[in-house]
Amino acid sequence: KNQVEQSPQSLIILEGKNCTLQCNYTVSPFSNLRWYKQDTGRGPVSLTIMTFSENTKSNGRYTATLDADTKQSSLHITASQLSDSASYICVVSAASGGSYIPTFGRGTSLIVHP
Amino acid sequence: ETGVTQTPRHLVMGMTNKKSLKCEQHLGHNAMYWYKQSAKKPLELMFVYSLEERVENNSVPSRFSPECPNSSHLFLHLHTLQPEDSALYLCASSQFRGGENTGELFFGEGSRLTVL
């Protein structure tokens, strides 16, 4: 069964600090992994996409890593801002032959305090 | 209009009412989804339509009835709902290619439903 596990479930940090969110998956065959940011009461928005051959990808202060061997990904946020307070969701898609429905993690709730 | 638009943004209804949620995508995608998000829970897939044909019905109660008249529009008809159905209902679209969903899911802003 395809699964995506995220940790921690919630995280509180001070503004300006860095943090790292984790994602482990068992989706097979693997196609790609996306990190989404969901502000409270809004729809999720894609931050990054990682394919099998990519190890690191950055989008501003967000840097995602992927280890396809261990089936782990991380999202690192640098110099956090109050606007980073949101839920971060890891979503993994299967390649042809697998389920065409993306598998969602439960999300990590991040709160950035001033 | 760009992206995925959902209406209404907020809806309050009684358990005996009949209402509908509407979703419209302007991205030329060929797949549309309904997700349910309850408080402090992950997104739950409800229905998937690909090329206007329902390809997934994730054990959703019959009081939720989807309709996809064309590739740009998706409806969720609601009738005799229960208070536990109160949630944020998110519509999304993506592009299927050759049986693979490698495309990004584009979400609408959601419809916040409260059932009294």
Side-chain angles (χ1 to χ4, degrees), chain B residues 10-101:
Chain B
H10 301 274
L11 178 63
V12 179
M13 58 187 290
M15 289 190 286
T16 57
N17 290 159
K18 287 184 179 182
K19 297 286 184 182
S20 295
L21 305 181
K22 178 183 176 182
C23 177
E24 185 174 0
Q25 60 100 358
H26 308 273
L27 301 168
H29 288 163
N30 59 12
M32 296 186 76
Y33 309 71
W34 278 117
Y35 281 90
K36 175 184 177 183
Q37 188 173 39
S38 303
K40 298 184 179 181
K41 288 187 176 181
L43 285 159
E44 301 173 47
L45 178 66
M46 298 177 72
F47 302 103
V48 181
Y49 277 83
S50 176
L51 298 173
E52 300 145 46
E53 178 182 344
R54 191 190 308 181
V55 296
E56 187 82 15
N57 179 349
N58 204 23
S59 302
V60 179
S62 59
R63 57 185 183 270
F64 294 92
S65 175
E67 178 189 1
C68 187
N70 56 63
S71 60
S72 299
H73 293 85
L74 185 65
F75 294 89
L76 187 63
H77 303 299
L78 317 169
H79 60 99
T80 59
L81 295 190
Q82 305 298 312
E84 59 264 30
D85 296 322
S86 298
L88 180 68
Y89 289 85
L90 288 161
C91 173
S93 71
S94 71
Q95 186 70 14
F96 280 176
R97 293 189 187 89
E100 289 192 27
N101 186 9

Side-chain angles (χ1 to χ4, degrees), chain A residues 39-56:
Chain A
D39 293 317
T40 301
R42 309 288 293 274
V45 176
S46 178
L47 291 174
T48 66
I49 178 174
M50 307 288 289
T51 56
F52 187 84
S53 60
E54 295 174 308
N55 300 118
T56 303

Side-chain angles (χ1 to χ4, degrees), chain A residues 31-32 34 36 38 41-44 46 93 95-96 100-102 104-106, chain B residues 9 35 37 42-43 45 48 55 90 96 100-105 107-109:
Chain A
S31 175
N32 64 77
R34 289 183 184 271
Y36 283 80
Q38 184 178 20
R42 309 288 293 274
S46 178
S93 294
S96 180
Y100 46 76
I101 308 300
F104 280 71
R106 300 177 67 88
Chain B
R9 292 292 311 278
Y35 281 90
Q37 188 173 39
L43 285 159
L45 178 66
V48 181
V55 296
L90 288 161
F96 280 176
E100 289 192 27
N101 186 9
T102 58
E104 176 181 350
L105 281 172
F107 286 87
E109 296 286 29

Side-chain angles (χ1 to χ4, degrees), chain A residues 13-28:
Chain A
I13 62 174
L14 292 176
E15 186 179 13
K17 297 297 185 182
N18 304 334
C19 66
T20 300
L21 314 180
Q22 301 290 343
C23 174
N24 298 336
Y25 62 92
T26 58
V27 176
S28 181

